[in-house]
Amino acid sequence: MARARIATAWLGGCSGCHMSVLDLDEALVELAPAIEIVYGPLVDAKEYPENVDVALIEGAVAAEEHQHLLKKIRQNTRVLVALGDCAVTSNVPGMRNLVGREPALKRAYFELTAAQPQIPGEVVTPLVKTVHPLHTEVPVDVFVPGCPPSPKRILYVLSELLAGRMPKLEGEMVKFG
Ligand code: SF4
């Protein structure tokens, strides 16, 4: 049987959700024969591929680069999973909305630096005006809350999807934070 093509992506997040994926530990070894990781920080792939079965997306949409990647992911992915509170609600990166984009940039790149104060616009993707969760940008198939979601929760979601079922998160599984 063909292995499921799995992608992960890191948008506006702290990488804690990816750490939680790695914390699956020996369960990853058990999953290995059934999956192929084709894109994400865990592998060396430059371009998002076609025909991805499941994409686990960490982080909120905070920059234009995230919008472009998310659109590409949606076009080439069967099941898109919003992984973690940042992807589901915008969570911590969404706190930027309380002060606004320009004041946040000014604070980070002028007030908190002594050397070469400047907005790094040439090499850093522009920020979007307001940080927002994935489902406000593209349709999301599965929402997995948690900051980060526990390995147990991630394993349940992956196992269900690999078995051809849509995961039904309820009770303890839908707690935020
Ligand atoms: Fe980090 Fe929590 Fe956001 Fe995951 S949900 S990227 S752990 S802040």
Side-chain angles (χ1 to χ4, degrees):
M1 199 174 80
R3 293 189 291 169
R5 289 164 59 79
I6 309 289
T8 73
W10 177 8
L11 307 186
C14 72
S15 102
C17 291
H18 272 84
M19 293 300 114
S20 207
V21 172
L22 291 178
D23 281 343
L24 287 169
D25 294 334
E26 63 270 18
L28 275 177
V29 177
E30 288 165 22
L31 287 172
I35 67 172
E36 178 187 4
I37 300 181
V38 293
Y39 182 84
L42 307 176
V43 295
D44 184 23
K46 305 291 182 240
E47 292 290 326
Y48 195 84
E50 296 180 345
N51 300 318
V52 173
D53 293 305
V54 177
L56 305 173
I57 314 297
E58 167 191 322
V61 179
E64 291 180 9
E65 179 183 58
H66 301 155
Q67 290 179 305
H68 300 315
L69 178 57
L70 191 54
K71 194 171 166 199
K72 195 165 188 183
I73 289 171
R74 183 64 281 182
Q75 286 169 346
N76 293 285
T77 305
R78 196 167 56 79
V79 179
L80 192 153
V81 179
L83 183 68
D85 289 351
C86 294
V88 175
T89 69
S90 84
N91 195 32
V92 177
M95 292 170 72
R96 192 188 86 201
N97 298 339
L98 298 173
V99 294
R101 178 180 57 185
E102 279 68 26
L105 285 168
K106 186 174 169 220
R107 181 78 178 142
Y109 291 110
F110 287 92
E111 296 172 6
L112 296 178
T113 182
Q116 300 181 326
Q118 59 185 306
I119 305 288
E122 285 183 17
V123 291
V124 176
T125 177
L127 301 181
V128 291
K129 192 160 183 59
T130 55
V131 182
H132 47 279
L134 306 191
H135 68 275
T136 61
E137 192 83 32
V138 297
V140 167
D141 302 302
V142 183
F143 295 88
V144 186
C147 183
S150 66
K152 182 180 165 196
R153 200 174 291 185
I154 296 170
L155 181 60
Y156 166 73
V157 169
L158 273 178
S159 301
E160 287 295 283
L161 291 173
L162 290 175
R165 297 184 291 263
M166 286 303 278
K168 290 189 177 63
L169 291 140
E170 48 196 25
E172 282 293 309
M173 292 272 195
V174 285
K175 281 200 171 163
F176 288 87

